[in-house]
């Protein structure tokens, strides 16, 4: 059972991710994000989270298979450690995409002030609509970027730590 510890740790995190997606769908959060994030960067982050999580699962399974062998080739472990760098990169990428969405949301939010005529009530109403749209985009992309990054880093840390423990 110990040889599957890394894979089971990954499985626990992956099930948590699936439950979060399911809960978000049931509560209407995913639909709300879809409607309010005009950049759709939040969904790019969520797709990166799902895809990279599955990839981390394959890497965890491969590591568990290596552990079950009598002699573990050090070169295979080092190569696996190098492949995990891609997971770390994608976790940082989701954070960066979230920040890009935040900046785009703020730009859209502040862009409403360009055509503002304080004498015309319609332009003020349009400004309030643009402020809300830009702010919701900024916050949703930030939220999905942060959560995706954290969940991916947990998975990459689990695998990197286990590989490092075996190499030393």
């Amino acid at each position: 059972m110990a040889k599957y510890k890394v894979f089971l740790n990954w499985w626990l995190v992956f099930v948590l991710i699936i439950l979060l997606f399911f809960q978000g769908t049931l509560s209407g959060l995913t639909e709300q994000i879809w409607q309010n994030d005009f950049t759709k960067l939040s969904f790019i982050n969520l797709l990166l989270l799902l895809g990279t999580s599955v990839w981390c699962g394959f890497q965890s399974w491969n590591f568990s298979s290596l552990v079950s062998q009598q002699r573990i080739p050090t070169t295979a472990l080092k190569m696996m450690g190098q492949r995990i760098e891609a997971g770390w990169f994608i976790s940082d990428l989701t954070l960066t995409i979230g920040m890009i969405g935040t900046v785009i949301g703020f730009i859209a939010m502040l862009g409403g002030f360009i055509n503002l005529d304080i004498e015309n009530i319609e332009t003020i109403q349009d400004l309030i609509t643009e402020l809300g749209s830009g702010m919701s985009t900024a916050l949703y992309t930030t939220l999905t970027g942060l959560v995706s990054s954290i969940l991916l880093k947990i998975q990459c840390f689990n695998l990197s730590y286990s590989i490092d423990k075996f190499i030393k």
Side-chain angles (χ1 to χ4, degrees):
M1 188 66 136
K3 69 179 180 179
Y4 294 108
K5 183 179 178 188
V6 175
F7 179 74
L8 292 175
N9 285 341
W10 168 82
W11 182 250
L12 180 67
V13 173
F14 188 70
V15 168
L16 173 70
I17 291 169
I18 297 301
L19 288 175
L20 286 173
F21 272 110
F22 186 68
Q23 179 61 34
T25 302
L26 286 179
S27 67
L29 181 63
T30 51
E31 184 179 338
Q32 189 175 357
I33 292 172
W34 181 261
Q35 291 173 352
N36 293 318
D37 178 10
F38 62 85
T39 64
K40 305 303 183 223
L41 290 175
S42 297
F43 284 92
I44 291 173
N45 270 341
L46 295 175
L47 287 173
L48 281 171
L49 171 62
L50 281 176
T52 308
S53 292
V54 169
W55 178 81
C56 281
F58 282 119
Q59 298 305 314
S60 297
W61 183 260
N62 288 339
F63 178 76
S64 296
S65 298
L66 278 176
V67 170
S68 67
Q69 295 177 5
Q70 294 292 340
R71 281 190 62 183
I72 302 170
T74 308
T75 55
L77 286 175
K78 286 183 180 180
M79 285 179 57
M80 186 172 284
Q82 290 172 348
R83 282 195 301 265
I84 297 306
E85 292 298 318
W88 287 108
F89 172 76
I90 293 174
S91 72
D92 286 340
L93 183 65
T94 59
L95 191 59
T96 303
I97 290 171
M99 291 300 108
I100 290 170
T102 303
V103 170
I104 290 171
F106 283 142
I107 289 171
M109 186 175 79
L110 296 175
F113 285 104
I114 293 173
N115 298 325
L116 181 63
D117 178 13
I118 58 171
E119 310 255 334
N120 186 350
I121 194 84
E122 262 184 49
T123 60
I124 295 174
Q125 289 172 339
D126 291 342
L127 172 66
I128 292 171
T129 302
E130 285 185 45
L131 288 174
S133 175
M135 183 58 84
S136 63
T137 294
L139 293 176
Y140 282 133
T141 56
T142 302
L143 177 68
T144 58
L146 288 170
V147 170
S148 296
S149 180
I150 289 168
L151 291 171
L152 287 174
K153 284 179 181 179
I154 289 170
Q155 295 174 67
C156 289
F157 177 78
N158 175 42
L159 199 48
S160 292
Y161 179 76
S162 300
I163 291 170
D164 288 346
K165 222 165 64 171
F166 258 87
I167 290 177
K168 291 179 182 176

